[in-house]
């Protein structure tokens, strides 16, 4: 798989450093699951983090007390663990069978779709099991999480050959193609492609005719539809966004 | 910093990791505690100055993970410093999301997986070693202004945008400083 559109080096750096917001980190984590090139980049950026980390130190702190309490805690935990290990063992066995059933369900429902590991917290049973809200006969969205004071993460599912009405963004928007492909006047985007659009951008994405398209989107602020009829959607989009006043 | 000396002391600590995973050697853990806890605390205090309680909590949490996860550490795929950095980074993210004003239900465990690849690849490992050495040597030679911005992003946990605001510099300047630094460390090659 060749991926043509990647996150900026700034975003990758902030992700490796752990300074990027969790919502944006989710889109990076999902991209690097599919992108070898960015995986390599993250590896090096993390090595740099390790190096900067070794250069730090605090001289003033007295760690003797901290150490004593740490070893007490460790002994306490080890003791309670060995006592409950048989119970735990049983629990683990149950958990692993649970896990298998959910994997199997995932496969039987959607033969071709592999939900990225980074999204499984919010998509544990496959895309079909999510609560989808129809925006039009061919477009639906499912909100995965909304951060107070942060962005909104959602999935958009568009039928083959359909298009999303022309819209602009009131904030930055990240789109990551999970399944299928779509195009706009700037290019064609396939699985794994990572596209960033800012508020000035006005576009009309169209899905290719061969298959439906599922995208992960991270929105800083609600999108605004610009066509006269589709402007009717705007109150709905605002209502489903955490920043709205409605 | 004396690079040769650092690599030598790193070897001792890798031995300590082995002693922990194979023999549950508490003495070895004791030595790693002395070496890494001041660094983990400094790393936390850089992001939240004065938050000593948080620094203590995170340092303990990281050392407990070292004790429990020592067997998953593979010296050929990442240096011990890098491995412990990722533990500290993840613990700090987790602590902040649970205790900050903007609580989040996104679990960082899903987003930052181990740096250690599942498949062993000798070619990649050799490459990794070379990258490691290049970064270690290159970092000391960077101009002060570039080191400062890297420290803001990595240690203080600031995004590029926040670093720009704090240093009263245009975002473009911060971006180009980081790019220049990454370029010199051969981390970033323009696509």
């Amino acid at each position: 798989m060749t991926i043509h559109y990647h996150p900026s080096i700034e975003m990758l750096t902030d992700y490796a450093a752990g300074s990027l917001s969790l919502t944006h980190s989710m889109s990076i984590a999902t991209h690097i699951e599919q992108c070898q090139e960015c995986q390599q980049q993250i590896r090096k950026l993390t090595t740099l983090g390790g190096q900067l980390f070794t250069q730090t130190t605090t001289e003033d702190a007295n760690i003797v007390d901290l150490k004593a309490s740490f070893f007490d805690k460790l002994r306490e935990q080890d003791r309670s663990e060995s006592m409950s290990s048989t119970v735990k063992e049983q629990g683990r066995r149950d958990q692993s069978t649970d896990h298998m059933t959910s994997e199997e369900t995932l496969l039987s429902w959607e033969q071709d779709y592999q939900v990225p590991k980074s999204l499984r917290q919010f998509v544990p049973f496959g895309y079909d099991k999510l609560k989808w809200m129809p925006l039009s006969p061919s477009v639906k969205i499912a909100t995965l999480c909304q951060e107070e004071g942060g962005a909104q993460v959602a999935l958009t599912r568009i039928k083959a050959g359909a298009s999303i009405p022309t819209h602009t963004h009131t904030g930055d928007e990240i789109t990551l193609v999970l399944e299928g492909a779509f195009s706009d006047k700037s290019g064609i985007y396939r699985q794994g492609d990572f596209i960033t659009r800012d508020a000035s951008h006005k576009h009309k994405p169209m899905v290719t005719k061969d298959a439906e398209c599922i995208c992960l989107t991270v929105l800083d602020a609600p999108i605004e539809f610009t066509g006269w009829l589709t402007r009717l959607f705007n109150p709905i989009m605002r209502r489903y966004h955490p920043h709205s006043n409605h | 910093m004396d690079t040769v000396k650092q690599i030598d002391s790193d070897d001792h600590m890798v031995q300590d990791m082995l002693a922990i995973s194979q023999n549950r050697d508490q003495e070895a853990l004791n030595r790693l505690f002395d070496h890494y806890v001041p660094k983990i605390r400094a790393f936390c205090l850089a992001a939240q100055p004065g938050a000593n309680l948080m620094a203590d909590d995170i340092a303990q949490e990281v050392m407990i993970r070292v004790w429990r996860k020592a067997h998953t550490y593979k010296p050929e795929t990442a240096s011990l410093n890098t491995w412990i950095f990722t533990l500290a980074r993840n613990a700090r993210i987790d602590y902040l999301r649970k205790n900050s004003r903007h609580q989040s239900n996104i679990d960082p465990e899903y987003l930052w997986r181990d740096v250690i690849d599942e498949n062993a690849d000798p070619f990649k490992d050799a490459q990794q070693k070379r990258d490691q050495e290049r970064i270690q040597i290159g970092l000391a030679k960077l101009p002060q202004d570039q080191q400062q911005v890297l420290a803001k992003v990595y240690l203080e946990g600031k995004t590029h945008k926040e670093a720009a605001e704090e240093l009263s510099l245009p975002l473009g300047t911060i971006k180009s400083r980081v790019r220049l630094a990454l370029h010199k460390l051969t981390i970033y090659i323009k696509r």
Side-chain angles (χ1 to χ4, degrees):
Chain A
M1 179 168 45
T2 324
I3 295 172
H4 293 283
Y5 299 89
H6 303 270
S8 67
I9 186 71
E10 286 80 26
M11 275 190 99
L12 291 177
T13 310
D14 286 347
Y15 168 81
S19 62
L20 194 65
S21 73
L22 285 165
T23 44
H24 287 83
S25 296
M26 207 157 154
S27 67
I28 302 286
T30 310
H31 173 77
I32 60 173
E33 266 182 51
Q34 309 181 12
C35 181
Q36 291 270 333
E37 202 180 319
C38 289
Q39 248 172 51
Q40 279 302 310
Q41 197 89 274
I42 290 293
R43 225 175 132 119
K44 291 190 207 171
L45 286 165
T46 310
T47 303
L48 171 61
Q51 201 53 43
L52 287 160
F53 168 72
T54 54
Q55 294 180 0
T56 63
T57 194
T58 42
E59 290 110 24
D60 57 326
N62 173 13
I63 61 165
V64 178
D65 292 346
L66 185 63
K67 199 199 278 183
S69 94
F70 167 76
F71 276 99
D72 283 349
K73 207 161 143 189
L74 198 69
R75 269 188 290 274
E76 185 59 40
Q77 284 194 2
D78 280 352
R79 214 182 359 253
S80 63
E81 194 156 88
S82 67
M83 270 162 69
S84 64
S85 66
T86 21
V87 186
K88 254 205 171 144
E89 195 62 32
Q90 182 60 41
R92 207 170 298 147
R93 229 174 291 146
D94 292 348
Q95 227 174 32
S96 67
T97 33
D98 272 2
H99 187 63
M100 262 177 52
T101 359
S102 75
E103 286 272 308
E104 270 168 20
T105 336
L106 209 78
L107 288 176
S108 62
W109 271 83
E110 298 164 17
Q111 302 88 341
D112 295 335
Y113 293 158
Q114 260 274 343
V115 178
K117 292 193 185 88
S118 51
L119 301 180
R120 297 217 180 134
Q121 185 195 351
F122 297 102
V123 195
F125 305 114
Y127 298 125
D128 285 344
K129 296 273 184 179
L130 290 171
K131 225 187 212 163
W132 292 94
M133 183 190 70
L135 274 187
S136 79
S138 49
V139 183
K140 5 183 216 185
I141 64 166
T143 305
L144 301 187
C145 58
Q146 302 188 328
E147 297 289 279
E148 210 181 305
Q152 176 201 55
V153 184
L155 293 178
T156 314
R157 193 168 191 171
I158 311 147
K159 284 193 176 150
S163 64
I164 295 189
T166 311
H167 64 274
T168 53
H169 308 118
T170 50
D172 289 351
E173 182 195 60
I174 291 166
T175 307
L176 176 65
V177 184
L178 300 176
E179 298 292 341
F182 77 89
S183 64
D184 64 13
K185 62 178 189 232
S186 323
I188 176 154
Y189 314 101
R190 297 188 176 84
Q191 198 178 37
D193 278 334
F194 186 102
I195 310 117
T196 316
R197 297 276 183 250
D198 66 16
S200 63
H201 203 92
K202 193 167 156 180
H203 70 154
K204 187 183 180 183
M206 184 178 271
V207 171
T208 53
K209 295 205 170 73
D210 53 333
E212 71 165 339
C213 179
I214 303 178
C215 291
L216 177 76
T217 54
V218 181
L219 281 174
D220 282 346
I223 61 172
E224 297 258 333
F225 290 103
T226 51
W228 66 270
L229 179 65
T230 49
R231 242 177 264 157
L232 295 172
F233 285 139
N234 288 338
I236 304 174
M237 296 307 287
R238 278 197 290 270
R239 206 177 78 214
Y240 279 87
H241 197 278
H243 278 169
S244 66
N245 305 315
H246 301 268
Chain B
M1 182 184 292
D2 188 350
T3 312
V4 179
K5 212 163 98 195
Q6 188 188 333
I7 289 169
D8 191 41
S9 82
D10 286 356
D11 279 348
H12 282 126
M13 285 185 287
V14 171
Q15 290 304 317
D16 282 341
M17 286 293 285
L18 213 65
I20 292 173
S21 64
Q22 291 178 350
N23 311 320
R24 308 311 282 156
D25 184 343
Q26 290 210 3
E27 271 311 304
L29 183 66
N30 197 7
R31 282 191 293 274
L32 291 179
F33 192 99
D34 286 341
H35 182 81
Y36 280 110
V37 163
K39 292 183 191 302
I40 301 165
R41 291 189 81 259
F43 175 70
C44 295
L45 292 171
Q48 306 274 305
N52 279 296
L53 230 55
M54 163 190 165
D56 288 350
D57 271 2
I58 293 177
Q60 289 199 351
E61 178 60 36
V62 171
M63 293 316 290
I64 282 177
R65 289 195 197 173
V66 169
W67 179 247
R68 297 200 187 291
K69 294 177 76 177
H71 62 282
T72 67
Y73 172 67
K74 304 265 181 309
E76 59 282 5
T77 53
S79 80
L80 186 56
N81 290 328
T82 304
W83 191 68
I84 294 192
F85 161 69
T86 61
L87 295 183
R89 176 197 64 192
N90 295 1
R92 190 171 81 176
I93 293 169
D94 206 33
Y95 189 96
L96 290 174
R97 79 154 174 140
K98 285 175 180 156
N99 295 285
S100 83
R101 279 181 295 127
H102 304 304
Q103 286 195 6
S104 170
N105 59 350
I106 300 176
D107 185 348
E109 282 280 313
Y110 285 83
L111 306 187
W112 284 271
R113 305 191 150 252
D114 286 344
V115 271
I116 293 147
D117 289 349
E118 283 141 20
N119 309 324
D121 179 346
F123 174 74
K124 245 194 208 163
D125 294 346
Q127 178 72 38
Q128 161 69 16
K129 264 230 139 63
R130 275 200 299 279
D131 290 341
Q132 167 85 30
E133 279 161 20
R134 233 189 330 240
I135 289 168
Q136 200 166 311
I137 294 162
L139 193 59
K141 293 185 189 157
L142 289 182
Q144 194 53 43
D145 60 343
Q146 290 170 19
Q147 289 201 24
Q148 182 195 30
V149 178
L150 287 181
K152 285 248 173 270
V153 172
Y154 274 96
L155 305 177
E156 296 180 25
K158 304 254 163 40
T159 60
H160 279 61
K161 219 167 123 194
E162 289 162 345
E165 279 160 19
E166 197 166 305
L167 296 170
S168 311
L169 287 168
L171 181 57
T173 310
I174 300 293
K175 280 188 183 176
S176 68
R177 280 184 192 172
V178 174
R179 281 184 186 222
L180 273 171
L182 296 181
H183 191 75
K184 279 185 207 153
L185 301 172
T186 63
I187 291 175
Y188 173 61
I189 294 136
K190 209 167 184 226
R191 290 188 251 253

